[in-house]
């Protein structure tokens, strides 16, 4: 027998039908001892998330506008949850208390956190599990800094024993007792913190998709799911814009070496994606784990036939960018050329000045700017030390008629990044997918 922590996201707890699915999942698997819940999310695409409605109440108050109608929508959702699940946790009184706190000037964090708080109360009663308020165990300093060790100790203490618990995600409290939330989507962090504190064997993250996909389904038709990926590969994909778990959310599980399993509440029979420290044992013929990319990069290439022998060249270049408050994304280089790839949004309005400074300090023979660059990362631990991977990648792009403007391969050989014109972005991703996945 193992210990599992299961976190259910907003769409998994959006209404009584979804919460029923959770009950089946949790009752089917006794190893799930700890359940972390988000606030109710969208029930259909035009619906509102409770957390958004709570923030909206606060914005109305700040602008001295009436917020009652919005609060009524929230009230209706929770009252109907309580009655359709047939539990009695005194939601009406809870809501009255929240309202009076709001009227007395409660903070945005307090207001936003109430979605998780009320939902966890209802779900705990429905499952017959103990409710543990995160405010008691997830701790921030009075200045709002997250207290990692203290939280770990508090959680371990409160959750020891044989019980089964429901814990609201997203928030904790400062030492003075005031509520403090994590950033949006922060229930994932709560789940990971609990997984670490109780030494879970698996952290299950239940959502509305059956794990991550090898490529963006808006670009590639019906992409394959990723069955197993390492934290490192995932980080590369996330950095390149794949919408996967937040780095902050992964961290507590990663340091404790706890596998994370992304699962689908609507299709519990699907195995989902398993994320572990070790790279996956690859299936026959599988080389890559995922493809991700984004548009919106600018590159400045400097040509200088004596660059290689010059001391301090990169330092000067980096210094100029730092002076303009611009971060560097990549520095692909050749013998006589060096490029810096920058985020177009960050560098907007500064390119000319930066180039003037390059001209003055670096004395290049020539410079070239490309503004409509898209970067695509092909990620996979299976690429390391395998000859021919890049040839296969570049061949596929050539065949698709995509011109490669830049290539960057990290020394880990786990990631090959190519820069292409933004107009070729989707075509390039489809070509890479076809070449490696089929
Ligand atoms: N309810 C919060 C949000 O919408 C936190 C979460 O669901 O993870 O951001």
């Amino acid at each position: 027998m193992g210990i599992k922590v299961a976190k259910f996201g907003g769409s998994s707890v959006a209404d009584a039908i979804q919460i029923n699915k959770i009950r089946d999942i949790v009752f089917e698997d006794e190893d799930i001892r700890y359940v972390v819940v988000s606030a109710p999310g969208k029930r259909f695409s035009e619906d509102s998330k409770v957390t958004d409605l709570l923030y909206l109440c606060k914005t109305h108050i700040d602008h001295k506008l009436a917020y009652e109608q919005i609060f009524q929508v929230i009230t209706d959702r929770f009252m109907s949850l309580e009655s359709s699940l047939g539990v009695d946790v005194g939601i009406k009184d809870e809501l009255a208390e929240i309202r009076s706190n709001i009227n007395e000037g409660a903070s945005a964090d307090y207001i936003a956190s109430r979605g998780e708080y009320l939902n966890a109360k209802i779900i705990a009663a429905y499952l017959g599990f103990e409710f543990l308020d995160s405010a008691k165990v997830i701790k921030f300093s009075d200045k709002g800094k997250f207290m990692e060790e203290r939280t770990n100790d508090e959680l371990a203490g409160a959750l020891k024993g044989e019980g089964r618990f429901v814990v609201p995600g997203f928030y904790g409290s400062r030492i003075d007792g005031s509520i403090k939330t994590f950033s949006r989507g922060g229930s994932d962090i709560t789940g990971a913190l609990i997984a670490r504190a109780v030494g879970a064997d698996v952290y299950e993250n239940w959502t509305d998709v059956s794990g991550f996909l090898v490529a963006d389904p808006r670009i590639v038709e019906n992409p394959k799911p990723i069955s197993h990926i390492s934290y490192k590969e995932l980080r590369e994909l996330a950095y390149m814009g794949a919408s996967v778990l937040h780095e902050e959310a992964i961290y507590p599980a990663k340091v404790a070496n706890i596998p994370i399993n992304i699962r689908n509440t609507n299709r519990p029979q699907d195995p989902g994606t398993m994320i572990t420290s070790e790279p996956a044992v690859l299936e026959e013929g599988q080389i890559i784990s995922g493809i991700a990319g984004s548009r919106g990069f600018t590159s400045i290439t400097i040509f200088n036939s004596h660059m290689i022998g010059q001391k301090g060249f990169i330092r000067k270049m980096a210094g100029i960018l730092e002076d303009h408050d611009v971060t560097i994304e990549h520095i692909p280089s050749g013998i006589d050329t060096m490029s810096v790839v920058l985020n177009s949004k960050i560098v907007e309005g500064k390119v000319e000045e930066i180039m003037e400074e390059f001209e003055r300090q670096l004395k290049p023979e020539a410079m070239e700017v490309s503004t409509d660059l898209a970067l695509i990362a092909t990620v996979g631990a299976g690429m390391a030390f395998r000859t021919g991977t890049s040839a296969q990648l570049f061949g596929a792009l050539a065949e698709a008629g995509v011109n490669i403007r830049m290539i960057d391969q990290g020394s880990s050989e786990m990631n090959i990044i190519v820069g292409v014109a933004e107009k070729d972005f989707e075509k390039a991703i489809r070509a890479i997918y076809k070449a490696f996945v089929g």
Side-chain angles (χ1 to χ4, degrees):
M1 218 185 88
I3 297 177
K4 288 182 184 169
V5 173
K7 179 258 167 179
F8 293 92
S11 63
S12 304
V13 288
D15 58 17
I17 300 171
Q18 292 302 93
I19 294 173
N20 251 310
K21 293 181 190 166
I22 291 187
R23 189 174 66 169
D24 291 345
I25 290 165
V26 170
F27 283 3
E28 185 100 326
D29 187 351
E30 280 179 17
D31 291 352
I32 301 180
R33 296 255 315 276
Y34 309 96
V35 171
V36 176
V37 296
S38 281
K42 292 186 180 193
R43 293 159 294 183
F44 41 89
S45 62
E46 300 78 37
D47 197 15
S48 302
K49 294 180 180 184
V50 165
T51 311
D52 290 336
L53 294 173
L54 288 162
Y55 278 121
L56 199 58
C57 283
K58 174 68 177 150
T59 320
H60 275 64
I61 296 158
D62 290 347
H63 290 85
K64 304 204 165 30
L65 295 168
Y67 72 90
E68 278 74 15
Q69 277 183 334
I70 309 163
F71 198 76
Q72 192 56 46
V73 178
I74 301 166
T75 303
D76 291 347
R77 280 191 78 167
F78 281 114
M79 297 285 279
S80 108
L81 263 186
E82 190 186 43
S83 71
S84 33
L85 294 172
V87 293
D88 180 4
V89 294
I91 278 291
K92 215 171 166 187
D93 294 345
E94 292 276 5
L95 285 158
E97 191 185 325
I98 294 169
R99 224 181 119 112
S100 102
N101 288 337
I102 292 179
N103 289 337
E104 275 161 31
S107 69
D109 280 17
Y110 166 81
I111 301 174
S113 72
R114 295 303 87 185
E116 270 67 16
Y117 170 80
L118 295 174
N119 215 20
K121 281 218 131 171
I122 294 175
I123 295 171
Y126 184 59
L127 300 176
F129 287 15
E130 267 178 69
F131 167 79
L132 173 67
D133 189 353
S134 312
K136 291 202 179 120
V137 280
I138 295 197
K139 289 290 171 192
F140 295 84
S141 73
D142 283 341
K143 287 208 170 111
K145 193 171 176 308
F146 177 60
M147 298 169 80
E148 202 176 320
E149 291 213 354
R150 165 96 187 253
T151 297
N152 199 51
D153 294 346
E154 296 274 359
L155 279 169
L159 296 170
K160 68 170 184 277
E162 294 302 304
R164 295 178 91 180
F165 293 84
V166 175
V167 188
F170 189 38
Y171 72 93
S173 75
R174 299 184 184 85
I175 299 299
D176 67 10
S178 60
I179 298 290
K180 166 98 179 84
T181 59
F182 290 116
S183 53
R184 292 299 305 265
S187 298
D188 284 336
I189 306 176
T190 311
L193 291 171
I194 294 179
R196 176 170 61 172
V198 302
D201 296 287
V202 182
Y203 169 30
E204 291 184 341
N205 195 298
W206 291 81
T207 168
D208 54 4
V209 289
S210 297
F212 303 137
L213 300 168
V214 172
D216 187 337
R218 288 166 300 186
I219 300 174
V220 172
E221 203 181 315
N222 242 332
K224 269 188 147 183
I226 300 177
S227 57
H228 189 167
I229 191 165
S230 64
Y231 290 119
K232 267 199 190 136
E233 291 167 290
L234 196 68
R235 192 177 134 74
E236 307 260 1
L237 288 174
Y239 178 68
M240 285 305 293
S243 55
V244 291
L245 283 178
H246 207 280
E247 179 79 17
E248 220 185 336
I250 294 181
Y251 172 76
K254 184 175 153 186
V255 289
N257 235 324
I258 299 169
I260 304 178
N261 191 192
I262 310 294
R263 302 287 298 267
N264 188 346
T265 303
N266 306 315
R267 288 185 57 86
Q269 67 277 21
D270 291 351
T273 299
M274 194 62 118
I275 311 162
T276 57
S277 334
E278 292 307 313
V281 178
L282 297 174
E283 288 162 28
E284 184 65 30
Q286 187 196 348
I287 302 156
I288 65 160
S289 302
I291 308 163
S294 28
R295 295 181 170 91
F297 294 96
T298 295
S299 75
I300 306 176
T301 303
I302 301 171
F303 300 88
N304 194 337
S305 41
H306 304 294
M307 188 181 302
I308 264 248
Q310 276 189 44
K311 286 194 188 107
F313 191 87
I314 297 187
R315 181 179 50 75
K316 280 188 213 153
M317 193 172 74
I320 296 168
L321 292 165
E322 191 180 348
D323 289 345
H324 286 83
D325 211 15
V326 171
T327 44
I328 302 172
E329 303 284 334
H330 297 279
I331 313 184
S333 57
I335 296 178
D336 298 329
T337 66
M338 183 164 296
S339 306
V340 272
V341 179
L342 313 164
N343 182 317
S344 301
K345 274 204 193 104
I346 297 179
V347 83
E348 202 181 322
K350 299 178 179 171
V351 175
E352 240 168 73
E353 267 176 48
I354 289 172
M355 286 180 71
E356 272 166 27
E357 211 45 43
F358 278 180
E359 184 79 56
R360 215 172 57 77
Q361 293 191 38
L362 306 175
K363 305 191 177 31
E365 282 155 20
M367 278 193 284
E368 205 176 271
V369 188
S370 285
T371 47
D372 59 342
L373 200 65
L375 297 185
I376 301 169
T378 305
V379 175
M383 299 192 310
F385 312 114
R386 181 185 171 277
T387 45
T389 309
S390 19
Q392 196 174 344
L393 178 73
F394 305 145
L397 291 173
E399 204 181 304
V402 174
N403 179 29
I404 304 173
R405 295 210 194 148
M406 177 212 111
I407 299 166
D408 201 2
Q409 178 177 22
S411 55
S412 66
E413 289 193 33
M414 206 175 65
N415 188 0
I416 300 177
I417 296 172
V418 291
V420 301
E422 283 182 344
K423 69 169 177 41
D424 289 335
F425 180 60
E426 299 197 352
K427 187 161 63 162
I429 290 185
R430 283 193 281 268
I432 299 171
Y433 184 87
K434 192 160 158 254
F436 287 100
V437 189

